[in-house]
Amino acid sequence: SSELTQDPAVSVALGQTVTITCRGDTLRSNYASWFQQKPGQAPLLVMYSRNDRPSGIPHRFSGSTSGNTASLTITGAQAGDEADYYCNSRDRSGTHYVFGTGTKLTVL
Amino acid sequence: QVHLQESGPGLVRPSETLSLTCTVSGDSITTSHWNWIRQPPGKGLEWIGYIHDSGRINYNPSLKSRLTMSLDTSKNHLSLRLTSVTAADTAVYYCARDPGDLPGDYLRLDFWGQGTLVTVSS
């Protein structure tokens, strides 16, 4: 099982705000990155470090971290945000990397 | 624009070796960390490992005994070899770039290939 735990599924009403969380002891000393994956597509980097967005990622995506939890918040969710989301960070050893278990986001 | 393209057999027999290539355009493989990630059908992402032209290599410990990654700078591509495969190795395999000079807290995988499905079956 992954050392980074995510809620399997989250839903949000169109235009509302949703937070996707990633929990793991390694996050107490490491930041995370976040990837969005739509069906049949490769993952897309949407957030990294404390709260850095790659070029082209909308400002409605933001990130934060507190204690053992990293969070990805989408403010004003759009239908196009419906996807699987994965966090990534160091593993417990601090030497390797691990992905979170993934969260399926549904926009209602 | 950086482009990555995976290639290799779509079907591998159990106990044999899985070999994949990732051809990179728009960037030199002598920079950046080059990663492999896989995703079994209907499941989540699994980091396989990365390689850097400096000689820095980092493998997922669960795969390390069966895994070899390499770079061919003359062809600007990277390769993955996974020996003694079983049905559990059936997955879509992706290559991806992390542009960092040094390994960080997380993988900043900014460009990905489209992925290639490898099925392990007799």
Side-chain angles (χ1 to χ4, degrees):
Chain A
S1 61
S2 177
E3 299 168 18
L4 297 177
T5 303
Q6 300 180 238
D7 293 328
V10 172
S11 62
V12 61
L14 185 67
Q16 297 303 301
T17 297
V18 63
T19 296
I20 299 169
T21 60
C22 173
R23 293 183 173 84
D25 287 340
T26 185
L27 298 175
R28 295 186 184 280
S29 53
N30 296 285
Y31 288 121
S33 55
W34 288 91
F35 298 88
Q36 174 194 73
Q37 186 180 33
K38 297 180 180 180
Q41 297 184 16
L44 173 70
L45 180 68
V46 296
M47 189 63 58
Y48 60 96
S49 190
R50 185 192 302 260
N51 185 19
D52 291 336
R53 276 186 317 277
S55 174
I57 300 302
H59 283 71
R60 64 176 182 274
F61 287 84
S62 62
S64 64
T65 187
S66 178
N68 73 335
T69 301
S71 301
L72 177 71
T73 298
I74 306 173
T75 303
Q78 303 298 306
D81 298 333
E82 189 163 285
D84 294 327
Y85 290 84
Y86 296 92
C87 60
N88 172 269
S89 189
R90 292 278 189 175
D91 71 352
R92 193 174 290 119
S93 75
T95 304
H96 312 290
Y97 297 92
V98 63
F99 286 96
T101 50
T103 297
K104 181 177 181 60
L105 176 66
T106 299
V107 180
L108 304 172
Chain B
Q1 184 77 342
V2 180
H3 183 73
L4 293 80
Q5 179 69 58
E6 304 89 351
S7 59
L11 179 65
V12 181
R13 306 297 184 193
S15 80
E16 296 189 345
T17 296
L18 181 162
S19 296
L20 296 175
T21 297
C22 173
T23 301
V24 178
S25 59
D27 190 16
S28 170
I29 62 167
T30 59
T31 62
S32 303
H33 287 77
W34 300 95
N35 289 257
W36 288 95
I37 299 95
R38 70 181 183 178
Q39 185 171 36
K43 297 187 177 180
L45 301 171
E46 180 181 27
W47 176 72
I48 297 173
Y50 71 60
I51 184 169
H52 189 277
D53 191 48
S54 65
R56 191 179 303 127
I57 293 179
N58 191 348
Y59 292 158
N60 185 322
S62 69
L63 299 170
K64 183 177 181 178
S65 65
R66 301 191 289 130
L67 186 61
T68 304
M69 293 183 184
S70 60
L71 297 175
D72 186 332
T73 55
S74 67
K75 297 179 180 178
N76 212 49
H77 74 207
L78 55 153
S79 298
L80 174 147
R81 291 183 72 250
L82 185 66
T83 62
S84 304
V85 298
T86 70
D89 296 310
T90 294
V92 174
Y93 285 76
Y94 296 99
C95 54
R97 184 188 83 161
D98 183 328
D101 293 328
L102 292 172
D105 288 356
Y106 48 83
L107 295 173
R108 184 163 65 104
L109 304 175
D110 60 352
F111 287 98
W112 293 64
Q114 66 184 23
T116 187
L117 174 62
V118 178
T119 301
V120 178
S121 175
S122 55

